Amino acid sequence: MAREYTEADLSPVFPVNGTTHPGTAEYLAWVENNFADWQLEVGGRVEQPARFSLAALRGLPSRTQITRHDCVEGWSAIGKWKGVPLRLILEQVRPRPEARYVVFHSADPDELGHYYYESIDFEEAYHPQTILAYDLNDRPLPIGNGAPLRLRLERQLGYKMAKYIMRIELVERFDTLAGGKGGYWEDQGYEWYAGI
Ligand SMILES: Nc1nc2c(c(=O)[nH]1)N[C@H]1C(S)=C(S)[C@@H](COP(=O)(O)O)O[C@H]1N2
Ligand SMILES: [Mo]
């Protein structure tokens, strides 16, 4: 388990880093109606592909954790995250035996049109502190921090924790996706396993 902190340790301001707003027409439309018609899509190598509205995710059992986020650029911050354990979502869709990785596809493209994405293995996916967070510090996740849903993965660096998650895909291998290295920053040379 990663260390957990208390309310007294919370950073006064939780920074916004990387994308601050996806800015696509699709995302702006979701913001317009407060993500009421947004749905998380979960598919790939699963027995039972599914879609979850934000209300449905909020209706599932949740976990709250106060943890320290470490960014490779040299800053850290402590925040309180609430969300649904990824394990519960995986139990609903039932991974097929050949599935080895969980890929998170984000809503934000860079200047070249490459979308942010990330991947983790099942050991990480079933870890109790691996959650799909929808609240930060007792409020709905702000746009800057990844609304409506972002990954929290408390034993790894910040870049693994995809913000603006739109779709989760279970795969056998990730070398066929984007740059082939399993993540947006990994495709530019960062480590795939970003242990702290
Ligand atoms: N979709 C998306 N996820 C992302 C990023 C991003 O630019 N886009 N930046 C990453 C990096 S480097 C860090 S440190 C954290 C920053 O999260 P924050 O904005 O909540 O501080 O998100 C990570 N996840
Ligand atoms: Mo980061």
Side-chain angles (χ1 to χ4, degrees):
M1 298 286 276
R3 176 170 170 195
E4 294 195 15
Y5 297 77
T6 68
E7 302 262 348
D9 302 313
L10 288 173
S11 300
V13 174
F14 197 94
V16 168
N17 198 49
T19 299
T20 57
H21 193 308
T24 62
E26 188 183 38
Y27 189 81
L28 286 165
W30 282 323
V31 170
E32 190 95 336
N33 77 352
N34 221 1
F35 299 100
D37 60 354
W38 170 91
Q39 288 196 323
L40 171 70
E41 194 186 322
V42 188
R45 307 281 184 170
V46 300
E47 304 291 352
Q48 189 68 63
R51 289 174 163 269
F52 300 86
S53 66
L54 201 49
L57 293 172
R58 285 185 176 276
L60 292 171
S62 68
R63 187 177 203 281
T64 300
Q65 57 202 32
I66 300 178
T67 52
R68 195 189 67 210
H69 176 109
D70 295 319
C71 172
V72 74
E73 290 170 52
W75 59 271
S76 298
I78 294 176
K80 179 179 180 181
W81 305 95
K82 180 181 181 187
V84 54
L86 180 57
R87 173 178 49 83
L88 297 183
I89 302 295
L90 296 179
E91 282 168 5
Q92 285 204 28
V93 299
R94 290 184 282 127
R96 291 209 190 124
E98 70 272 19
R100 286 192 61 204
Y101 302 100
V102 183
V103 182
F104 304 87
H105 296 280
S106 297
D108 52 323
D110 67 10
E111 317 74 54
L112 299 171
H114 297 133
Y115 281 80
Y116 204 95
Y117 76 106
E118 260 304 336
S119 61
I120 59 175
D121 62 19
F122 278 85
E123 185 186 326
E124 205 69 9
Y126 286 106
H127 186 274
Q129 289 167 318
T130 299
I131 65 174
L132 298 171
Y134 44 69
D135 282 352
L136 167 58
N137 296 336
D138 299 316
R139 304 186 151 217
L141 199 55
I143 289 175
N145 302 104
L149 198 68
R150 72 98 51 86
L151 181 63
R152 291 303 308 173
L153 201 66
E154 307 296 355
R155 302 181 301 180
Q156 296 198 49
L157 293 169
Y159 68 85
K160 293 296 292 187
M161 295 183 247
K163 308 194 282 188
Y164 317 111
I165 299 173
M166 301 295 114
R167 183 162 65 90
I168 295 179
E169 182 187 13
L170 274 71
V171 298
E172 229 175 308
R173 47 198 293 173
F174 54 69
D175 58 358
T176 51
L177 297 173
K181 300 284 192 269
Y184 178 81
W185 286 110
E186 287 87 330
D187 286 341
Q188 295 168 66
Y190 285 34
E191 292 295 326
W192 179 77
Y193 188 82
I196 292 170

